[in-house]
Amino acid sequence: MATLSDIGVSAFINILSAFAFLLAFALLRIQPINDRVYFPKWYIKRERNKPSRAGNFVGKFVNLNFKTYLTFLNWMPQAMRMSEAELIEHAGLDSAVFLRIYILGLKIFVPITILAILVLVPVNISGGTLFFLRKELVTSNIDKLSISNVQPKSIKFFIHISMQYLFTFWTCFMLYKEYDKVASMRLNFLASQQRRVEQYTVLVRNVPHISGRSISDSVDIFFKKNHPNTYLCHQAIYNANKFAWLVRKRNRVQNWLDYNQLKFERHPDKRPTRKKGFLGLWGERVDSIDFYQQQLKELDRKLTMERQRIIKDPRFIMPVAFVSFNSRWGAAVCAQTQQSKNPTLWLTSWAPEPRDVYWRNLAIPFFSLSIRKLVIAISVFALVFFYMIPIAFVQSLANLEGLERVAPFLRKVIELKFIKSFLQGFLPGLALKLFLYFLPAILLVMSKIEGHVAISALERQAASKYYYFMLVNVFLGSIVTGTAFQQLHAFLHQAPSQIPRTIGVSIPMKATFFITYIMVDGWAGIASEILRLKPLVIYQLKNMFLVKTERDREKAMDPGSVDFPETLPSLQLYFLLGLVYAVVTPILLPFILVFFLFAYLVYRHQIINVYNQQYESVGAFWPYVHGRIIASLLISQLLLMGLLSTKEAANSTPILIVLPILTLAFHNYCKSRFEPAFNKYPLEEAMDRDTQERAAEPNLNLKAYLADAYLHPIFQSFEEVELEETVRVDAVRVDKHQSQVSSPTTRESPPSPPPHSYNYAHDVQSYNYYHYQQEDESSHYTYHYENSV
């Protein structure tokens, strides 16, 4: 059991680590050579094209203005200068709503912390129970500040119950205010935005096969019949998985060719060579440049053949389509109503924005989605329980004194006081953090297998899985496994009537472990986020060995984005810990407050200067955040009831039973009051927007605007790839009045996209085989879509 001195050692190590990360960041960020690592957002928005401190030759790499080294911490006030409205314009609503979660944490826990410290801590200290427990029960001074120290049957428990009611009402009040605010922000954002293609487009799945008709004809006939006045056109979806595999292989070969050409340019007296066998390990030695050029030609031939085969063969057309309408009202009616008497056919939903589409999953047959979800659910269940083994081991590290009694041979290892403090105060939180490092990526892959067609939906589902994992393993698992090790000796040597009391005492004892975890993950971990050590190293290596042009330098940047699958569940864990331990062990709350404040500053800086969000979901994740905070409230209430039952305070249980009922009623009210704003688009709003648009732009050609909005990557002209390899093409202009691609022009860097245009630079899993910038959203290929007559 960690003592106050162990917590002090952990705090010293984590504060020192956080300060070291912040100091390294503050010094590295002002060096011109690192400007694209720490300010990529401004380069992407074309508001910065060179380091602001660049000067002579040496000044291009090292900051020679020594005055800036004296103000190296000015990034904190700079992160607060941008207003929320400017932040939404700069980074999008998702980023602003994400930051509001940290603000909500501060609004909830600052008053709770003050009240809990002033009221509950003196009440707990005056209890005196732990002074009279048997020596075999492992306790620490921190436990004497918790509810465990209150005498059984004490009248003081009514103070804890009153505080639980007060904390619940305050949390619900702040949740209501924030839900109302975020819902209003979402509606205002949608109303104030420029025209967006997803406002006119619906995703249709499970299109039935009709004998004698193609999928495209079936879609066209169905919507002309059932939506005759609003249907405009549709975009067919193709199964291009083999094509995507060839594209990824071509990208790898192109990278090797670029590397060898650059190597030859630097050493023209010697051409690079390699062996023809597997991975270049054996076989005849040949010229590397000629080898990769020949491979590229062969892959280009295969890609062209595969592309033509997909276009011509109707079997490659999937029973899925993006259907566009001539008004927002028409799209809203289609997306929010049942289209067929058979509820399993012609399933409609709002189309994600083009950047948000996960193209690979559109090719998954609809009937297999339920099977996939069942398999993944079983796999997640197995993974959760598999991870209980390392979690139990981590908890054994957190309770070395209890472990000594079970395994006395370990006593010599931890005899030194500092080593014991290090092992108990710092190592458990660090070990748990390392065990969880790869888990979000695994859960994201599982969510992709489930078949979700939007990247935002994939990330929300991965976040849900990670939250349940954190709840079961990190929170509940830590309490259960820790109790088993910690109390084993006392269980075996005490009267059976004392066991329930021991369990009741042991639950708040885990606060020491969670304090160490908060310091490792929430203090030092957040500080390491701002340092961006991995992107820094990768960028400098690319800049040193691969960058030849300004365009190469831009491609070497890795701005990243808010990692919702990992960040949101971690945030919700802190809400859970704060609400559970607010009444049980209030001393944990100041550590959580430091996390919320520090993380808010760090992520605000990153969102303004670094992150470039891949998509905009308009705050669609907020209902999940709200629901999980409500779940944290319910868990805290149930655990307090269980804890009080072990303290022989049975009379208090009926009073607490009312609290979960009130909390659920509040949640249902918020769900019915605010959640429709995140799932539905009001027809009244849609009609008003359409009327305003027709009055302002009576000659608007929506067909031209929507034609290529959801252009499948298979239609992106493959000939442009060949042109890009011979001349350094940074953008391809498409004439909006023609169906062919105009001649590319060479320029140093691509132009900046307009604020609400879409950069169709799909990742590898979205079949990206070259950097494609669609500069004119109204451009279209006439043979790429079917339109109504």
Side-chain angles (χ1 to χ4, degrees):
M1 173 60 62
T3 64
L4 280 175
S5 77
D6 298 336
I7 298 298
V9 170
S10 177
F12 172 77
I13 294 174
N14 284 288
I15 292 173
L16 186 64
S17 301
F19 182 78
F21 288 142
L22 292 177
L23 181 63
F25 159 73
L27 297 178
L28 290 172
R29 68 186 283 268
I30 62 176
Q31 308 306 321
I33 194 173
N34 299 327
D35 207 56
R36 290 180 183 268
V37 177
Y38 294 108
F39 300 96
K41 180 75 172 181
W42 300 102
Y43 284 91
I44 293 171
K45 293 176 70 70
R46 296 295 184 269
E47 296 183 22
R48 193 169 187 157
N49 54 24
K50 64 179 181 179
S52 58
R53 300 180 179 87
N56 54 27
F57 177 77
V58 177
K60 292 180 179 179
F61 301 94
V62 181
N63 181 13
L64 300 178
N65 183 1
F66 293 101
K67 292 182 179 179
T68 58
Y69 289 90
L70 301 178
T71 58
F72 61 90
L73 290 179
N74 64 352
W75 66 270
M76 291 187 180
Q78 287 176 358
M80 300 301 299
R81 289 177 184 171
M82 186 177 288
S83 67
E84 187 173 68
E86 293 172 332
L87 185 68
I88 293 173
E89 180 67 25
H90 176 73
L93 186 65
D94 278 347
S95 299
V97 171
F98 172 73
L99 290 176
R100 292 198 69 88
I101 304 176
Y102 294 95
I103 297 175
L104 176 63
L106 292 172
K107 289 179 179 179
I108 290 175
F109 288 114
V110 167
I112 288 179
T113 300
I114 295 173
L115 199 58
I117 296 296
L118 294 179
V119 176
L120 292 179
V121 169
V123 171
N124 294 337
I125 292 176
S126 64
T129 297
L130 297 183
F131 293 99
F132 304 102
L133 288 178
R134 296 181 47 165
K135 294 182 179 180
E136 287 84 351
L137 185 63
V138 181
T139 64
S140 71
N141 291 330
I142 291 179
D143 300 317
K144 296 171 185 177
L145 305 178
S146 72
I147 197 174
S148 299
N149 201 37
V150 180
Q151 294 281 354
K153 297 183 180 181
S154 174
I155 194 68
K156 295 178 180 179
F157 286 127
F158 285 98
I159 300 177
H160 295 85
I161 295 172
S162 300
M163 289 296 103
Q164 182 68 43
Y165 266 90
L166 186 59
F167 296 164
T168 298
F169 291 156
W170 172 252
T171 303
C172 290
F173 174 72
M174 295 312 305
L175 282 174
Y176 179 87
K177 299 283 288 185
E178 202 65 27
Y179 213 153
D180 187 26
K181 175 67 175 178
V182 174
S184 299
M185 290 171 64
R186 175 181 170 89
L187 293 176
N188 292 335
F189 184 81
L190 292 173
S192 63
Q193 271 195 315
Q194 297 179 13
R195 187 165 43 249
R196 291 166 62 94
V197 294
E198 64 269 21
Q199 295 173 345
Y200 301 87
T201 307
V202 171
L203 176 63
V204 182
R205 307 191 73 176
N206 213 24
V207 177
H209 290 276
I210 300 176
S211 178
R213 291 183 191 171
S214 67
I215 293 294
S216 185
D217 290 339
S218 296
V219 171
D220 197 48
I221 293 171
F222 181 87
F223 283 95
K224 281 181 180 179
K225 175 184 176 182
N226 295 286
H227 299 269
N229 299 321
T230 56
Y231 170 61
L232 188 65
C233 60
H234 74 272
Q235 177 68 62
I237 304 300
Y238 293 81
N239 186 349
N241 288 338
K242 182 178 179 181
F243 184 86
W245 178 79
L246 290 171
V247 165
R248 292 193 293 270
K249 185 174 181 180
R250 188 187 189 281
N251 284 337
R252 290 194 296 269
V253 173
Q254 183 64 55
N255 289 337
W256 278 111
L257 177 61
D258 291 343
Y259 170 77
N260 283 279
Q261 286 177 335
L262 182 61
K263 186 177 180 181
F264 180 62
E265 289 175 7
R266 293 179 175 178
H267 303 283
D269 55 325
K270 182 179 180 182
R271 289 182 66 87
T273 61
R274 61 154 286 162
K275 294 181 179 180
K276 294 179 65 175
F278 178 70
L279 295 178
L281 298 177
W282 58 74
E284 178 186 357
R285 184 167 292 276
V286 295
D287 185 281
S288 295
I289 296 177
D290 294 340
F291 175 79
Y292 290 118
Q293 285 178 340
Q294 183 61 35
Q295 279 201 337
L296 274 183
K297 290 180 181 179
E298 179 63 20
L299 286 171
D300 289 347
R301 183 185 66 82
K302 291 181 179 179
L303 280 167
T304 303
M305 293 176 59
E306 180 67 16
R307 181 171 177 268
Q308 293 300 322
R309 189 167 70 96
I310 291 172
I311 293 174
K312 294 178 181 179
D313 192 342
R315 292 175 299 177
F316 282 90
I317 300 180
M318 302 301 299
V320 184
F322 287 106
V323 179
S324 298
F325 296 81
N326 59 17
S327 65
R328 297 175 181 85
W329 185 89
V333 169
C334 180
Q336 297 167 185
T337 56
Q338 182 174 316
Q339 302 301 308
S340 172
K341 290 182 288 186
N342 186 341
T344 64
L345 299 177
W346 298 101
L347 302 177
T348 58
S349 61
W350 282 107
E353 67 162 315
R355 295 178 302 173
D356 195 17
V357 177
Y358 189 70
W359 293 95
R360 175 180 294 182
N361 282 358
L362 288 173
I364 297 175
F366 180 80
F367 70 86
S368 69
L369 293 179
S370 299
I371 300 175
R372 286 169 173 261
K373 290 179 180 179
L374 176 61
V375 171
I376 292 301
I378 296 173
S379 301
V380 171
F381 181 82
L383 182 65
V384 167
F385 284 91
F386 169 78
Y387 255 75
M388 280 189 175
I389 299 173
I391 294 295
F393 174 73
V394 169
Q395 293 309 308
S396 70
L397 293 178
N399 301 281
L400 293 179
E401 293 177 1
L403 188 62
E404 279 185 8
R405 291 181 170 86
V406 180
F409 60 88
L410 293 176
R411 186 168 301 173
K412 292 184 179 180
V413 181
I414 54 176
E415 285 180 353
L416 296 178
K417 184 177 180 180
F418 178 80
I419 294 178
K420 180 183 294 186
S421 298
F422 173 80
L423 292 176
Q424 290 189 320
F426 178 74
L427 188 60
L430 178 62
L432 181 58
K433 180 72 175 175
L434 293 176
F435 274 123
L436 300 176
Y437 183 77
F438 296 104
L439 189 63
I442 296 172
L443 297 177
L444 185 60
V445 172
M446 288 183 170
S447 297
K448 290 176 180 179
I449 295 173
E450 279 183 318
H452 303 284
V453 297
I455 299 172
S456 57
L458 289 174
E459 295 193 347
R460 286 196 297 271
Q461 290 301 316
S464 297
K465 296 177 179 65
Y466 194 33
Y467 169 75
Y468 296 130
F469 181 91
M470 300 279 276
L471 175 63
V472 173
N473 275 313
V474 177
F475 180 69
L476 297 178
S478 296
I479 292 175
V480 173
T481 56
T483 300
F485 275 97
Q486 181 177 308
Q487 308 301 333
L488 180 60
H489 187 270
F491 283 172
L492 297 177
H493 297 84
Q494 66 180 353
S497 60
Q498 295 295 314
I499 293 178
R501 182 182 177 186
T502 304
I503 295 176
V505 170
S506 68
I507 292 176
M509 282 181 173
K510 297 310 300 179
T512 54
F513 168 76
F514 289 121
I515 288 174
T516 63
Y517 179 78
I518 291 169
M519 288 190 288
V520 172
D521 180 70
W523 296 8
I526 293 296
S528 66
E529 172 69 24
I530 202 172
L531 181 59
R532 306 197 76 225
L533 185 60
K534 180 180 176 181
L536 173 66
V537 172
I538 293 175
Y539 173 78
Q540 295 299 348
L541 289 175
K542 288 182 177 179
N543 195 34
M544 186 181 302
F545 296 108
L546 299 178
V547 170
K548 293 181 285 186
T549 65
E550 280 299 314
R551 182 170 177 274
D552 293 337
R553 187 167 286 109
E554 288 183 0
K555 292 172 66 176
M557 290 193 305
D558 179 21
S561 60
V562 178
D563 189 7
F564 289 118
E566 180 177 4
T567 309
L568 287 181
S570 298
L571 256 174
Q572 290 147 10
L573 176 66
Y574 287 107
F575 278 99
L576 175 64
L577 293 177
L579 293 172
V580 167
Y581 281 98
V583 174
V584 175
T585 311
I587 198 65
L588 179 139
L589 293 175
F591 296 90
I592 290 180
L593 281 183
V594 172
F595 160 76
F596 277 116
L597 180 60
F598 184 40
Y600 175 73
L601 290 173
V602 168
Y603 278 109
R604 205 173 206 276
H605 173 275
Q606 298 296 84
I607 285 171
I608 292 173
N609 298 297
V610 181
Y611 295 151
N612 185 43
Q613 289 303 115
Q614 187 177 0
Y615 58 84
E616 176 61 64
S617 71
V618 200
F621 54 83
W622 187 262
Y624 297 86
V625 174
H626 174 90
R628 284 161 197 159
I629 296 177
I630 291 292
S632 300
L633 273 176
L634 293 172
I635 292 171
S636 68
Q637 295 157 7
L638 294 175
L639 286 181
L640 182 61
M641 281 193 286
L643 180 59
L644 291 179
S645 68
T646 67
K647 305 289 283 185
E648 301 180 26
N651 294 334
S652 64
T653 304
I655 302 176
L656 279 174
I657 287 178
V658 180
L659 205 50
I661 297 174
L662 294 176
T663 304
L664 287 174
F666 167 77
H667 175 59
N668 289 332
Y669 172 76
C670 288
K671 189 179 181 69
S672 60
R673 171 67 178 84
F674 299 116
E675 194 166 312
F678 295 83
N679 299 326
K680 308 289 186 181
Y681 188 46
L683 294 180
E684 180 184 20
E685 175 71 17
M687 182 60 75
D688 290 343
R689 292 294 306 278
D690 291 334
T691 303
Q692 295 171 8
E693 186 175 75
R694 282 192 290 267
E697 302 177 75
N699 298 321
L700 174 64
N701 185 358
L702 270 178
K703 188 177 295 184
Y705 173 70
L706 296 171
D708 277 350
Y710 289 92
L711 180 67
H712 195 287
I714 192 69
F715 285 126
Q716 296 176 353
S717 178
F718 183 71
E719 286 76 13
E720 292 167 9
V721 182
E722 297 172 340
L723 290 171
E724 189 173 322
E725 302 309 324
T726 56
V727 294
R728 306 302 292 181
V729 178
D730 295 296
V732 178
R733 294 188 181 276
V734 182
D735 189 339
K736 63 182 178 182
H737 303 296
Q738 299 178 1
S739 61
Q740 67 271 10
V741 180
S742 62
S743 300
T745 57
T746 306
R747 56 175 67 95
E748 183 175 339
S749 62
S752 172
H756 299 290
S757 67
Y758 302 107
N759 184 346
Y760 291 94
H762 300 283
D763 58 14
V764 169
Q765 295 175 343
S766 295
Y767 314 140
N768 175 37
Y769 56 90
Y770 65 97
H771 183 74
Y772 177 81
Q773 171 71 43
Q774 179 171 331
E775 295 182 328
D776 191 341
E777 291 187 20
S778 62
S779 62
H780 67 281
Y781 301 99
T782 58
Y783 54 87
H784 288 167
Y785 66 94
E786 301 290 337
N787 55 33
S788 60
V789 179

